Amino acid sequence: MQGNTNFDERPFIAIWETTQACDLTCVYCHASAQSSRNPSELSTAEGKRLIDEIATMEVPVFVLTGGDPLKRPDIFELVRYAASQNVRVSLTSSATPLLTHDSIVRLKECGLVRLVVSLDGPGARIHDAFRGLPGSFHGTLDAVRWAQEIGLPVQINTTVTRHNLELLDDIIDLLDTLNIVSWNVFFPVPPRRGSSADLLSALEFEQAFEKLYHASQRVLFNITTNEAQHYRRYLLQRSSQPRRLGQRPSPTYWRIPQFSRIGDYAEMSDAIARAPRGINDGKSSLFISHCGEVYPGGFLPISGGNLRRQSLSDIYCNSQLFRKLRDSRNLEGKCGICEYREICGGSRARSFAMAGNMFAEESCCVYEPRRQADRSDEPELVAV
């Protein structure tokens, strides 16, 4: 392990699904969103105990998501408590009537460090169809403007499917006018086995990667991906091209951060974009459901334990599920022999959804490993 980042001891990012209640009906939602809150949700007291564990484990990135977190009346209390424990909180909200100017101001006053909203098209037609609520597009733009007026950094999430792949350049042009700090591009994982009609092909993934790469050379915001771990392989391949021509490679964000406390790490301009290499489900990542189940990620529906019976640290460090996911020797097919397996590792969630096997090879990757037998052939990280 490089630096003092140890994937076996703590995650880099923890996401808490505070509720499944939401007024949107998003096409690719994995949260089984519903209008009312579930009585089995973690209580306020249980949420605070979770935050205490996040603070003790010194998890650098903690995200509150849903559903819509604003459906919880105690969400402001939870954000304030996290801030008091020196836990930096981002919140992913839905552009519904609950996301008002006043609610954004209040979240900032409680200590929120980043607001995250979704934008899935360059205009209302595509975006509102994705989110299932007329007016959602303009509500998102209002939320971005209100957050920026009070100095609250904004991250945009975009889900890429065949419905908007050809519009990616237009979306990027729009984002370039919004003064955001980060853009997280989601590549869908089918919610049910066999339901992959809108999933991009392996070649279409590469086409999307090319658009993201060229955008990263000119925009001021950071670009990250979700469930597209092989974008890291693509970046390293692109970075090696100038080297072969005797040129200096373009910088990438695969820098191993040095930090000893959450407060120290907060000084970095964008923690998420400078994440350690190789983050994957269960490998420096975890997802806590609304009822306390601890999953390796938000799209891999296999639980490693429940917070009501075990500590978060015990589940992450010691559960058989998480330990297996952190061991690249368990990867199968071409992922198991790929020289990029420690940096990429493929989407374990997509493998589970498509093949029923979380260790199966990434089905949406065109790359063929150079060496079929030597597992020691690791690509070097690009110097920043």
Side-chain angles (χ1 to χ4, degrees):
M1 189 62 59
Q2 299 190 30
N4 56 3
T5 302
N6 190 335
F7 289 162
D8 292 328
E9 294 179 352
R10 61 174 172 182
F12 178 80
I13 180 170
I15 302 172
W16 175 23
E17 177 194 59
T18 58
T19 182
Q20 287 191 330
C22 183
D23 295 325
L24 298 181
T25 55
C26 301
V27 175
Y28 298 98
C29 180
H30 279 246
S32 303
Q34 51 200 302
S35 59
S36 301
R37 295 175 60 198
N38 190 317
S40 66
E41 287 176 6
L42 294 181
S43 66
T44 303
E46 289 173 322
K48 288 182 178 180
R49 285 198 293 272
L50 167 59
I51 291 168
D52 289 339
E53 291 199 71
I54 295 293
T56 299
M57 295 174 73
E58 297 185 338
V59 180
V61 179
F62 185 48
V63 182
L64 304 182
T65 187
D68 183 0
L70 290 175
K71 295 284 276 188
R72 286 189 64 129
D74 62 352
I75 196 65
F76 301 100
E77 180 181 354
L78 291 168
V79 172
R80 188 182 299 278
Y81 183 77
S84 74
Q85 300 304 111
N86 199 29
V87 173
R88 290 170 57 83
V89 179
S90 299
L91 183 140
T92 303
S93 186
S94 303
T96 72
L98 293 176
L99 189 61
T100 64
H101 179 274
D102 289 346
S103 66
I104 292 174
V105 170
R106 188 177 175 191
L107 286 168
K108 174 74 169 357
E109 291 174 345
C110 289
L112 189 71
V113 300
R114 176 175 297 189
L115 179 69
V116 185
V117 291
S118 295
L119 195 65
D120 298 304
R125 183 179 63 85
I126 293 293
H127 175 86
D128 289 359
F130 262 66
R131 297 296 155 181
L133 181 69
S136 177
F137 175 78
H138 293 293
T140 297
L141 295 184
D142 285 341
V144 172
R145 176 169 52 84
W146 293 332
Q148 291 174 346
E149 287 174 353
I150 60 172
L152 179 61
V154 174
Q155 173 181 311
I156 295 290
N157 290 348
T158 298
T159 300
V160 178
T161 71
R162 288 178 175 169
H163 294 290
N164 64 355
L165 176 60
E166 296 304 317
L167 299 173
L168 264 186
D169 290 330
D170 295 331
I171 294 173
I172 293 166
D173 288 343
L174 173 59
L175 297 181
D176 205 18
T177 69
L178 297 182
N179 195 31
I180 62 173
V181 298
S182 185
W183 183 34
N184 193 2
V185 185
F186 283 69
F187 290 81
V189 171
R192 299 176 306 280
R193 192 171 176 183
S195 58
S196 57
D198 295 325
L199 183 66
L200 301 185
S201 68
L203 182 58
E204 287 170 327
F205 264 78
E206 295 294 302
Q207 293 169 353
F209 292 166
E210 183 176 12
K211 292 178 183 292
L212 300 185
Y213 173 78
H214 286 298
S216 71
Q217 306 303 297
R218 63 178 180 83
V219 300
L220 297 179
F221 51 85
N222 292 298
I223 299 176
T224 57
T225 59
N226 194 297
E227 299 303 337
Q229 287 82 352
H230 41 317
Y231 182 52
R232 302 165 188 163
R233 178 265 306 163
Y234 181 91
L235 284 177
L236 288 173
Q237 287 180 303
R238 291 300 299 257
S239 297
S240 70
Q241 291 173 352
R243 182 180 300 155
R244 290 196 294 268
L245 297 174
Q247 303 170 10
R248 181 179 179 180
S250 300
T252 70
Y253 54 69
W254 303 113
R255 173 187 300 174
I256 301 296
Q258 303 294 321
F259 62 97
S260 58
R261 302 188 309 277
I262 295 175
D264 294 338
Y265 199 73
E267 298 303 317
M268 301 185 72
S269 60
D270 187 9
I272 295 174
R274 287 163 176 77
R277 69 174 181 172
I279 285 183
N280 209 326
D281 288 342
K283 187 177 180 182
S284 206
S285 168
L286 60 80
F287 180 93
I288 303 110
S289 81
H290 65 292
C291 58
E293 295 292 335
V294 181
Y295 298 102
F299 302 97
L300 181 55
I302 306 175
S303 175
N306 191 289
L307 291 181
R308 288 174 168 143
R309 296 186 295 271
Q310 297 169 262
S311 72
L312 185 66
S313 177
D314 183 40
I315 295 170
Y316 177 79
C317 294
N318 301 319
S319 74
Q320 187 178 42
L321 171 65
F322 278 76
R323 291 172 69 91
K324 283 184 175 180
L325 285 166
R326 289 196 289 270
D327 188 348
S328 66
R329 292 173 296 182
N330 290 316
L331 295 177
E332 300 175 7
K334 66 181 182 181
C335 285
I337 57 173
C338 183
E339 62 270 25
Y340 293 99
R341 66 191 173 277
E342 299 294 349
I343 294 167
C344 168
S347 170
R348 299 301 95 219
R350 187 174 298 108
S351 293
F352 181 77
M354 300 292 288
N357 175 8
M358 63 183 172
F359 295 113
E361 67 180 41
E362 168 65 75
S363 60
C364 294
C365 179
V366 301
Y367 184 70
E368 293 298 330
R370 288 202 307 267
R371 297 188 181 183
Q372 299 297 305
D374 184 0
R375 294 177 61 94
S376 64
D377 182 23
E378 296 288 348
E380 296 180 356
L381 288 180
V382 178
V384 179

